[in-house]
Amino acid sequence: MTQKTSVIGFPRIGKNRELKFASEKYFKKEISADELEKIAADLRAYGWKKQADTGISFIPSNDFSFYDNMLDTAFLLGALPARYKALGLSPLETYFAAAHGYQGKAGDVKALPMKKWFNTNYHYIVPELSDDMKLAVSTQNKALSEFKEAKSLGIQTIPSLIGPYTFLHLATYTGSKKALDFAGSAAAAYLELAKSLSEAGAEWISLAEPALVFDISSKEKDLFISIYKELISKLHTEAKIKISLQTYFGDIRDVYKEVCELGFDAIGLDFIEGKKSLELVKTGFPQNTLLLAGIINGKNIWRADYQNKINLLEEIKKTVAEENIVLGTSCSLLHVPYTTASEETLTADILEYFSFAEEKIQELKELASSDPAALQANKKLFAKQRVAKDETVQNSLAKITEADFVRKPDFAERERIQHETFRLPLFPTTTIGSFPQTKEVRANRAAFKKGTITREQYVEFNQKKITECIKLQEELGLDVLVHGEFERNDMVEYFGSQLNGYLFTQNAWVQSYGTRCVKPPVVWGDVSRNKPMTVEWSVYAQSQTKKIMKGMLTGPVTILNWSFPREDISLKEQTQQIALAIREEVLDLEKNGIKIIQIDEAALREKLPLRRSDWHKEYLDWAIPAFRLVHSKVRPETQIHTHMCYSEFNDIIRDIDAMDADVITFEASRADLKILDALKEANFKTEVGPGVYDIHSARVPSVEEITEALKKMLTKVSKEKLWVNPDCGLKTRGEEETVASLKNLVAAAKILREGK
């Protein structure tokens, strides 16, 4: 018997990032909204047809987005703050204004906050609900229009939406009303939406509730039940539609019993990250209910071991009838690239180990049909040894002692030494690292990669850009300078390309947020450094100025979290391997006269377990020491910076302090500086630079805006510990807006120094 199959979501950026480039052309008014919509329709059609041709039983619609599905849901439910409506723009322009801000004739508004989506590198837009809002289905019904669009192509889909509980759980509230106050109107809106879909021919509606994998309090459980208790009945009787509850990124141990009793027609469980999913199913599963078993990893790119999956399914079948088991992905496939078919540089003996989105749906097909040839080929693949251990790396790991994680002297003494050494003014100004990468910068890098220019030409161009960047920073009056990172394509790929043990793809792009796509490198074997990676550029940059130049590195946790990791060894071991390699680079920079070294850990929070009880044992107890391993051997007068962005840091602020860096810069502007309270409450010892403006928006903050932000910071942070900086690197920004923003940033710092 061929089992049914299900996919939670499909990549939407295009195999060649068509959506990214089209959106950016639209922003520049080089193409019309209609042209952008046409490209989007082609991308949706491709995904639907690919899944249909593969034989996927349950194909999602409404998983596409121009920016983010949470933002889509806010617009669908009419949860749009008044300041965006007041701009008087078209629906699409208003949508993008909420996503990345707007500054023009119609007005000046910041973007909605942006945060990491659970434990991924994908970012979502945080909905903002005010007391005067009433949730109701918008006339711009994206879910309905895309269902009809697929149907017109002859493809029956399941409209997929962020569920009401997750939407309300992740939203922010500006007034006295909280999630429970919106529960009734949210349920009514979803019912209205389901009716419209049913009338259009939809047989199912899928409601994604990944927030159920968090630790659930009794109050949160009551909210979930209050939303669904009547809604499910009405969806059955009034909308006449079947309901699938989809969860992912973990297990739902806190509400499993309630979920099973509520009457869903299908329940989606994650058997990859859901440590207790199998155990929960073995306690019982409702009869005549489909189990959407997430057995194909939607977040990593390795081939599935079919025998392991078959063994897992045999265990599930002890509780759930085989005809009620639907084989599926553990989460949306937007977290992996499109297809290995786009890779022309990697050899077949490497590619056979990889499975991207299109290969994953093929894996579902092969498992569902128990294809003998496919099963045998898979067995042969996993019988081979993929990679041998590097004895040098293994010996280095074995020699690590507790002393390797401790920097001396303690922070207070280092702070005193560094203040005497650097003699920086109060509120020292700096940037996070990168400066705008123009077409010429990217073309120079591409030409060198293709071999059409010599290394000498490549270096000469970059040195010229570095010199220009330093001159600009000096003219602006910044205190601590950066070299601009014109040689770097990506803060992880750049380092991975120079480390042993890494592999690189050609077109394995994954969406991070909006038009931002990344191409994560692959950890193939044991990792080590064979030569300096950044010293040449930092030393040259320091030679061009008398001011302090920061050396710029990416930390081991972020390098691993933004890579596709191995599955044959632990994350801890992989991180320690990378940490030892980066430590060599840190010590080389110091030896070559670089006095401030920034080791970015932008993704530290990203892989924090979603359940608090797992935070330390499963992650922080090795992630924080891994950072200390990198910098513990530097001299007291060498100042170590780090940077973190777009995550919730408040609840791990003491762990961040325990990283024992000298200065930490945070993303803070889009979160309204909420981190300040946590810093004060924790008596945060490390010097800090909460970002004073949002670099993911083209708008230029005024001097007054930045000054007010700094004054707010001073109510929580002592003036001796406060740095002034943007909230992230400037790589994606335009040159004109960057200069204007930094000019205002420096002016605001000077105002504070003068006590105005």
Side-chain angles (χ1 to χ4, degrees), residues 640-660:
I640 298 296
H641 289 222
T642 190
H643 171 69
M644 300 178 185
C645 56
Y646 294 100
S647 289
E648 286 280 3
F649 299 114
N650 298 15
D651 46 12
I652 59 167
I653 207 71
R654 288 181 173 83
D655 298 287
I656 292 172
D657 216 11
M659 294 168 72
D660 205 21

Side-chain angles (χ1 to χ4, degrees), residues 52 65 136 156 247 251 292 340 369 407 422 447 509 541 558 587 745:
S65 178
Q156 183 73 12
T247 66
D251 61 65
L292 309 180
T340 61
S369 63
R407 187 177 175 195
F422 299 134
W509 295 98
T558 294
L587 295 176
L745 179 150

Side-chain angles (χ1 to χ4, degrees), residues 594-605:
I594 304 302
K595 297 178 175 64
I596 295 182
I597 302 171
Q598 182 169 309
I599 309 164
D600 287 338
E601 284 293 15
L604 176 74
R605 170 74 194 234

Side-chain angles (χ1 to χ4, degrees), residues 188-431:
Y190 277 82
L191 176 60
E192 180 186 348
L193 177 60
K195 287 179 179 178
S196 67
L197 290 165
S198 178
E199 289 170 3
E203 299 169 4
W204 286 83
I205 184 171
S206 177
L207 301 178
E209 294 290 10
L212 294 178
V213 306
F214 287 125
D215 292 312
I216 303 292
S217 68
S218 58
K219 185 177 180 181
E220 289 165 339
K221 184 185 292 188
D222 290 343
L223 173 63
F224 170 72
I225 294 171
S226 71
I227 291 172
Y228 279 101
K229 194 166 186 179
E230 291 187 16
L231 178 58
I232 291 174
S233 175
K234 290 181 177 179
L235 287 171
H236 283 147
T237 58
E238 296 181 29
K240 295 180 172 39
I241 198 167
K242 294 180 180 179
I243 317 110
S244 170
L245 177 78
Q246 184 65 65
T247 66
Y248 40 85
F249 300 144
D251 61 65
I252 59 169
R253 68 190 74 164
D254 294 337
V255 291
Y256 180 76
K257 179 176 178 290
E258 289 77 10
V259 164
C260 289
E261 293 173 349
L262 279 168
F264 292 103
D265 300 287
I267 299 171
L269 301 178
D270 181 351
F271 288 88
I272 300 296
E273 293 186 274
K275 293 185 297 183
K276 290 185 177 290
S277 290
L278 179 59
E279 179 184 327
L280 291 169
V281 168
K282 285 187 172 183
T283 66
F285 191 79
Q287 290 187 345
N288 303 318
T289 301
L290 298 181
L291 170 62
L292 309 180
I295 63 170
I296 295 296
N297 193 336
K299 289 169 68 174
N300 213 340
I301 48 79
W302 301 99
R303 284 277 179 187
D305 184 334
Y306 286 177
Q307 190 57 54
N308 284 346
K309 304 305 175 185
I310 291 169
N311 294 343
L312 171 61
L313 289 169
E314 288 303 315
E315 290 298 309
I316 294 173
K317 289 175 188 176
K318 292 178 181 179
T319 306
V320 184
E322 183 174 4
E323 61 270 19
N324 288 337
I325 300 173
V326 179
L327 308 188
T329 57
S330 66
C331 62
S332 171
L333 298 179
L334 74 86
H335 305 294
V336 294
Y338 265 77
T339 176
T340 61
S342 297
E343 301 303 318
E344 300 172 344
T345 56
L346 294 175
T347 57
D349 60 328
I350 290 174
L351 285 175
E352 66 179 347
Y353 286 98
F354 294 161
S355 177
F356 299 171
E358 293 184 12
E359 288 72 39
K360 288 183 185 296
I361 61 176
Q362 182 66 28
E363 287 182 318
L364 285 174
K365 177 182 179 180
E366 290 172 356
L367 281 168
S369 63
S370 298
D371 182 338
L375 296 180
Q376 184 60 30
N378 186 266
K379 184 177 181 179
K380 288 177 64 176
L381 178 68
F382 279 87
K384 293 191 292 185
Q385 180 178 356
R386 185 180 59 79
V387 61
K389 287 185 177 294
D390 184 317
E391 292 302 322
T392 302
V393 173
Q394 294 301 313
N395 290 337
S396 296
L397 288 173
K399 292 177 182 177
I400 294 174
T401 68
E402 287 302 313
D404 288 303
F405 300 103
V406 181
R407 187 177 175 195
K408 294 181 179 179
D410 64 16
F411 175 84
E413 178 62 13
R414 297 199 313 267
E415 187 175 38
R416 183 190 65 77
I417 293 170
Q418 290 164 14
H419 282 188
E420 290 178 358
T421 301
F422 299 134
R423 297 194 178 279
L424 292 168
L426 284 174
F427 317 117
T429 55
T430 189
T431 64

Side-chain angles (χ1 to χ4, degrees), residues 499 502 527 556 559-560 574-583:
L499 292 170
Y502 264 92
V527 176
I559 289 178
L560 185 69
Q574 292 175 74
T575 305
Q576 286 187 339
Q577 291 180 11
I578 298 168
L580 290 174
I582 300 300
R583 181 171 76 175

Side-chain angles (χ1 to χ4, degrees), residues 7 22 29 39 216 247 287 296 398 431 450-451 457 485 550 664 670 672 743:
V7 170
K29 302 188 185 305
I39 291 167
I216 303 292
T247 66
Q287 290 187 345
I296 295 296
T431 64
K450 291 176 183 176
Q457 290 172 306
E485 302 181 13
K550 281 196 289 189
I664 295 182
R670 285 180 82 155
D672 295 325
K743 183 177 180 180

